[in-house]
Amino acid sequence: MTWCRFSSGMPGSGNRMEFDLIEAIRARVDVARSDVALGIGDDAALLDVPANRQLVACTDTLVAGVHFPAGTAPGDIGWKALAVNLSDLAAMGAEPAWALLALTLPDADAVFVEGFATGFAELARAHGVALVGGDTTQGPLAISVTAFGWVPRDCALTRSGARVGDAVFTTGALGDAAGALKMLMGGGSAPAALSARLHRPEPRVAAGLALRGSASACIDVSDGLLADLAHVCVASKVGAEIEADALPVSPALAASFDAPTCRDLALSGGDDYELCFTAPAAREAEIVEKIAHAGCRATRIGRIVAGSGVRVLDANANEMEIAHAGWGHFSR
Ligand code: ADP
Ligand code: MG
């Protein structure tokens, strides 16, 4: 329901424009699933949840100028709006299934919507996610996606299971997206390998599934490693030590910035969408192999200790001063 629909002054034309936009989205995001009893078109979707599974639900909003710079390609916005949600499902060890899309648009811009839907559809197809409904309304550009998946009962990965003596791991490499953003904000352009990580993050869904039964705690790194690992520590009532020299940095990032800057981006830059997880240290080899099977890399970066908070250690095991600890909304 909206009090201000897309209108061109003609009675009823607002509804027609809204319908056309919804149809443009529906036609492009064409993933069909047998568990969708009723999708887009009625007042709500009807979905069949498999027996003995728990439904996993999450939602994330992207606001123009806050989560992506003005001028970002519509297809990249569409991809990322879904990716950030699939990353949350991945962090729970969930298998993604369905999504809802709430789109707030300044005007009925068909070119934007078609580009957006094309990018959204590329990622939805890659993960077999059906778009089952949403809302389309007028206002400052913002996109909310709600995603649903499932886990076998009591098998979800959570933030609260880290134990003293566990090792801390991350998938992939850290700091690439923040590095790309830093270059773009500085008025330059970023190497393709870095800008792809900013605009088209690959949610670590297969890695999350592989970690079920192996990881003791898991979180996706969206606000920076230090900030997100701190959430695990609070939820698990433990502390963590990270070895600065163990942080995985991509060749593209290492070629673009000096080592201290790479380290700061890896520790505190946002938008990585890697999984940071903990597991008993003795399972390292098994975990590295499982994650490799899932098509990515796992690196041991530190350990869980008694106490609280996250400390970063240099090569001599001395604590390092770190300037800022991640991206937070409402923080300034
Ligand atoms: P209502 O007024 O009952 O909320 P709408 O006219 O908003 O219905 O939506 C009609 C149908 O289109 C619903 O099934 C809704 O889920 C779907 N829908 C609306 N906007 C979107 C969107 N951006 N993406 C996907 N489905 C949408
Ligand atoms: Mg509606």
PDB file of all heavy atoms in Angstrom, residues 1 5 18 22 25 39-43 101 103 131 133-136, ligand 1:
ATOM      1  N   MET A   1       0.855  -1.192   0.000  1.00  0.00           N
ATOM      2  CA  MET A   1       0.000   0.000   0.000  1.00  0.00           C
ATOM      3  C   MET A   1       0.889   1.238   0.000  1.00  0.00           C
ATOM      4  O   MET A   1       1.856   1.319   0.723  1.00  0.00           O
ATOM      5  CB  MET A   1      -0.879  -0.009   1.259  1.00  0.00           C
ATOM      6  CG  MET A   1      -2.204   0.694   1.092  1.00  0.00           C
ATOM      7  SD  MET A   1      -2.118   2.476   1.159  1.00  0.00           S
ATOM      8  CE  MET A   1      -1.701   2.749   2.870  1.00  0.00           C
ATOM      9  N   ARG A   5       1.542   6.801  -5.491  1.00  0.00           N
ATOM     10  CA  ARG A   5       1.947   5.867  -6.529  1.00  0.00           C
ATOM     11  C   ARG A   5       2.607   6.619  -7.676  1.00  0.00           C
ATOM     12  O   ARG A   5       2.537   7.841  -7.746  1.00  0.00           O
ATOM     13  CB  ARG A   5       0.727   5.099  -7.037  1.00  0.00           C
ATOM     14  CG  ARG A   5       0.237   4.060  -6.036  1.00  0.00           C
ATOM     15  CD  ARG A   5      -0.924   3.291  -6.618  1.00  0.00           C
ATOM     16  NE  ARG A   5      -1.393   2.280  -5.671  1.00  0.00           N
ATOM     17  CZ  ARG A   5      -0.943   1.036  -5.608  1.00  0.00           C
ATOM     18  NH1 ARG A   5       0.006   0.629  -6.422  1.00  0.00           N
ATOM     19  NH2 ARG A   5      -1.436   0.190  -4.733  1.00  0.00           N
ATOM     20  N   GLU A  18       3.233   1.016 -12.313  1.00  0.00           N
ATOM     21  CA  GLU A  18       3.733   0.125 -11.255  1.00  0.00           C
ATOM     22  C   GLU A  18       3.629  -1.328 -11.714  1.00  0.00           C
ATOM     23  O   GLU A  18       4.571  -2.109 -11.556  1.00  0.00           O
ATOM     24  CB  GLU A  18       2.894   0.364  -9.992  1.00  0.00           C
ATOM     25  CG  GLU A  18       3.404  -0.317  -8.752  1.00  0.00           C
ATOM     26  CD  GLU A  18       2.503  -0.004  -7.558  1.00  0.00           C
ATOM     27  OE1 GLU A  18       2.009   1.132  -7.451  1.00  0.00           O
ATOM     28  OE2 GLU A  18       2.279  -0.915  -6.751  1.00  0.00           O
ATOM     29  N   ILE A  22       6.660  -4.096 -12.248  1.00  0.00           N
ATOM     30  CA  ILE A  22       6.643  -5.425 -11.611  1.00  0.00           C
ATOM     31  C   ILE A  22       6.769  -6.510 -12.679  1.00  0.00           C
ATOM     32  O   ILE A  22       7.514  -7.483 -12.527  1.00  0.00           O
ATOM     33  CB  ILE A  22       5.354  -5.624 -10.771  1.00  0.00           C
ATOM     34  CG1 ILE A  22       5.316  -4.615  -9.619  1.00  0.00           C
ATOM     35  CG2 ILE A  22       5.257  -7.047 -10.232  1.00  0.00           C
ATOM     36  CD1 ILE A  22       3.978  -4.538  -8.906  1.00  0.00           C
ATOM     37  N   ILE A  25      10.277  -6.886 -13.910  1.00  0.00           N
ATOM     38  CA  ILE A  25      11.104  -7.627 -12.951  1.00  0.00           C
ATOM     39  C   ILE A  25      10.776  -9.118 -13.035  1.00  0.00           C
ATOM     40  O   ILE A  25      11.662  -9.974 -13.146  1.00  0.00           O
ATOM     41  CB  ILE A  25      10.867  -7.097 -11.517  1.00  0.00           C
ATOM     42  CG1 ILE A  25      11.351  -5.653 -11.391  1.00  0.00           C
ATOM     43  CG2 ILE A  25      11.564  -7.997 -10.487  1.00  0.00           C
ATOM     44  CD1 ILE A  25      10.882  -4.945 -10.130  1.00  0.00           C
ATOM     45  N   GLY A  39       3.407 -17.622  -6.479  1.00  0.00           N
ATOM     46  CA  GLY A  39       4.450 -16.592  -6.459  1.00  0.00           C
ATOM     47  C   GLY A  39       3.887 -15.198  -6.665  1.00  0.00           C
ATOM     48  O   GLY A  39       2.839 -14.847  -6.122  1.00  0.00           O
ATOM     49  N   ILE A  40       4.602 -14.390  -7.467  1.00  0.00           N
ATOM     50  CA  ILE A  40       4.198 -13.004  -7.712  1.00  0.00           C
ATOM     51  C   ILE A  40       2.788 -12.954  -8.304  1.00  0.00           C
ATOM     52  O   ILE A  40       2.466 -13.739  -9.198  1.00  0.00           O
ATOM     53  CB  ILE A  40       5.198 -12.334  -8.685  1.00  0.00           C
ATOM     54  CG1 ILE A  40       6.562 -12.175  -8.001  1.00  0.00           C
ATOM     55  CG2 ILE A  40       4.680 -10.983  -9.180  1.00  0.00           C
ATOM     56  CD1 ILE A  40       7.660 -11.685  -8.925  1.00  0.00           C
ATOM     57  N   GLY A  41       1.942 -12.047  -7.820  1.00  0.00           N
ATOM     58  CA  GLY A  41       0.636 -11.821  -8.427  1.00  0.00           C
ATOM     59  C   GLY A  41      -0.515 -11.820  -7.455  1.00  0.00           C
ATOM     60  O   GLY A  41      -1.551 -11.210  -7.727  1.00  0.00           O
ATOM     61  N   ASP A  42      -0.382 -12.497  -6.339  1.00  0.00           N
ATOM     62  CA  ASP A  42      -1.474 -12.457  -5.352  1.00  0.00           C
ATOM     63  C   ASP A  42      -1.046 -11.524  -4.217  1.00  0.00           C
ATOM     64  O   ASP A  42      -0.059 -10.816  -4.317  1.00  0.00           O
ATOM     65  CB  ASP A  42      -1.784 -13.876  -4.852  1.00  0.00           C
ATOM     66  CG  ASP A  42      -3.269 -14.038  -4.525  1.00  0.00           C
ATOM     67  OD1 ASP A  42      -3.789 -13.216  -3.734  1.00  0.00           O
ATOM     68  OD2 ASP A  42      -3.898 -14.964  -5.073  1.00  0.00           O
ATOM     69  N   ASP A  43      -1.808 -11.522  -3.123  1.00  0.00           N
ATOM     70  CA  ASP A  43      -1.457 -10.611  -2.026  1.00  0.00           C
ATOM     71  C   ASP A  43      -0.226 -11.066  -1.268  1.00  0.00           C
ATOM     72  O   ASP A  43       0.457 -10.259  -0.635  1.00  0.00           O
ATOM     73  CB  ASP A  43      -2.642 -10.476  -1.063  1.00  0.00           C
ATOM     74  CG  ASP A  43      -3.761  -9.666  -1.710  1.00  0.00           C
ATOM     75  OD1 ASP A  43      -3.444  -8.583  -2.248  1.00  0.00           O
ATOM     76  OD2 ASP A  43      -4.914 -10.123  -1.722  1.00  0.00           O
ATOM     77  N   LEU A 101      11.363  -8.648  -2.807  1.00  0.00           N
ATOM     78  CA  LEU A 101      12.071  -7.438  -3.232  1.00  0.00           C
ATOM     79  C   LEU A 101      11.202  -6.204  -3.032  1.00  0.00           C
ATOM     80  O   LEU A 101      10.182  -6.048  -3.705  1.00  0.00           O
ATOM     81  CB  LEU A 101      12.441  -7.573  -4.716  1.00  0.00           C
ATOM     82  CG  LEU A 101      12.950  -6.322  -5.436  1.00  0.00           C
ATOM     83  CD1 LEU A 101      14.249  -5.820  -4.807  1.00  0.00           C
ATOM     84  CD2 LEU A 101      13.148  -6.621  -6.920  1.00  0.00           C
ATOM     85  N   LEU A 103      11.165  -2.355  -3.581  1.00  0.00           N
ATOM     86  CA  LEU A 103      11.901  -1.404  -4.403  1.00  0.00           C
ATOM     87  C   LEU A 103      11.278  -0.024  -4.231  1.00  0.00           C
ATOM     88  O   LEU A 103      10.081   0.160  -4.476  1.00  0.00           O
ATOM     89  CB  LEU A 103      11.756  -1.870  -5.857  1.00  0.00           C
ATOM     90  CG  LEU A 103      12.787  -1.551  -6.908  1.00  0.00           C
ATOM     91  CD1 LEU A 103      14.210  -1.783  -6.423  1.00  0.00           C
ATOM     92  CD2 LEU A 103      12.491  -2.379  -8.157  1.00  0.00           C
ATOM     93  N   LEU A 131      12.235 -15.381  -6.995  1.00  0.00           N
ATOM     94  CA  LEU A 131      11.650 -14.123  -6.504  1.00  0.00           C
ATOM     95  C   LEU A 131      10.143 -14.336  -6.404  1.00  0.00           C
ATOM     96  O   LEU A 131       9.475 -14.554  -7.410  1.00  0.00           O
ATOM     97  CB  LEU A 131      11.982 -12.978  -7.457  1.00  0.00           C
ATOM     98  CG  LEU A 131      11.442 -11.604  -7.036  1.00  0.00           C
ATOM     99  CD1 LEU A 131      12.067 -11.136  -5.721  1.00  0.00           C
ATOM    100  CD2 LEU A 131      11.697 -10.580  -8.137  1.00  0.00           C
ATOM    101  N   GLY A 133       7.830 -12.316  -4.605  1.00  0.00           N
ATOM    102  CA  GLY A 133       6.957 -11.171  -4.336  1.00  0.00           C
ATOM    103  C   GLY A 133       7.764  -9.965  -3.938  1.00  0.00           C
ATOM    104  O   GLY A 133       9.001  -9.981  -3.985  1.00  0.00           O
ATOM    105  N   GLY A 134       7.033  -8.917  -3.573  1.00  0.00           N
ATOM    106  CA  GLY A 134       7.731  -7.703  -3.171  1.00  0.00           C
ATOM    107  C   GLY A 134       6.787  -6.532  -3.116  1.00  0.00           C
ATOM    108  O   GLY A 134       5.566  -6.692  -2.973  1.00  0.00           O
ATOM    109  N   ASP A 135       7.365  -5.352  -3.250  1.00  0.00           N
ATOM    110  CA  ASP A 135       6.586  -4.126  -3.217  1.00  0.00           C
ATOM    111  C   ASP A 135       7.315  -3.113  -4.070  1.00  0.00           C
ATOM    112  O   ASP A 135       8.556  -3.107  -4.135  1.00  0.00           O
ATOM    113  CB  ASP A 135       6.464  -3.650  -1.762  1.00  0.00           C
ATOM    114  CG  ASP A 135       5.426  -2.548  -1.619  1.00  0.00           C
ATOM    115  OD1 ASP A 135       4.437  -2.554  -2.384  1.00  0.00           O
ATOM    116  OD2 ASP A 135       5.613  -1.675  -0.752  1.00  0.00           O
ATOM    117  N   THR A 136       6.567  -2.259  -4.767  1.00  0.00           N
ATOM    118  CA  THR A 136       7.179  -1.262  -5.629  1.00  0.00           C
ATOM    119  C   THR A 136       6.532   0.074  -5.324  1.00  0.00           C
ATOM    120  O   THR A 136       5.311   0.217  -5.432  1.00  0.00           O
ATOM    121  CB  THR A 136       6.962  -1.628  -7.114  1.00  0.00           C
ATOM    122  OG1 THR A 136       7.471  -2.951  -7.321  1.00  0.00           O
ATOM    123  CG2 THR A 136       7.690  -0.670  -8.030  1.00  0.00           C
TER     124      THR A 136
HETATM  125  P1  ADP B   1      -0.643  -5.102  -2.881  1.00  0.00           P
HETATM  126  O1  ADP B   1      -1.191  -3.759  -3.216  1.00  0.00           O
HETATM  127  O2  ADP B   1      -1.643  -6.124  -2.555  1.00  0.00           O
HETATM  128  O3  ADP B   1       0.498  -5.034  -1.904  1.00  0.00           O
HETATM  129  P2  ADP B   1       1.056  -4.932  -5.183  1.00  0.00           P
HETATM  130  O4  ADP B   1       0.321  -4.262  -6.270  1.00  0.00           O
HETATM  131  O5  ADP B   1       2.009  -4.148  -4.375  1.00  0.00           O
HETATM  132  O6  ADP B   1       0.002  -5.663  -4.245  1.00  0.00           O
HETATM  133  O7  ADP B   1       1.844  -6.171  -5.765  1.00  0.00           O
HETATM  134  C1  ADP B   1       1.221  -7.070  -6.663  1.00  0.00           C
HETATM  135  C2  ADP B   1       2.051  -8.326  -6.733  1.00  0.00           C
HETATM  136  O8  ADP B   1       3.333  -8.035  -7.256  1.00  0.00           O
HETATM  137  C3  ADP B   1       2.286  -8.991  -5.378  1.00  0.00           C
HETATM  138  O9  ADP B   1       2.284 -10.388  -5.568  1.00  0.00           O
HETATM  139  C4  ADP B   1       3.656  -8.518  -4.994  1.00  0.00           C
HETATM  140  O10 ADP B   1       4.304  -9.466  -4.161  1.00  0.00           O
HETATM  141  C5  ADP B   1       4.344  -8.401  -6.351  1.00  0.00           C
HETATM  142  N1  ADP B   1       5.388  -7.359  -6.378  1.00  0.00           N
HETATM  143  C6  ADP B   1       5.237  -6.039  -6.202  1.00  0.00           C
HETATM  144  N2  ADP B   1       6.404  -5.388  -6.327  1.00  0.00           N
HETATM  145  C7  ADP B   1       7.334  -6.337  -6.575  1.00  0.00           C
HETATM  146  C8  ADP B   1       8.740  -6.320  -6.803  1.00  0.00           C
HETATM  147  N3  ADP B   1       9.452  -5.177  -6.784  1.00  0.00           N
HETATM  148  N4  ADP B   1       9.360  -7.496  -7.049  1.00  0.00           N
HETATM  149  C9  ADP B   1       8.674  -8.649  -7.041  1.00  0.00           C
HETATM  150  N5  ADP B   1       7.350  -8.743  -6.862  1.00  0.00           N
HETATM  151  C10 ADP B   1       6.665  -7.595  -6.633  1.00  0.00           C
END
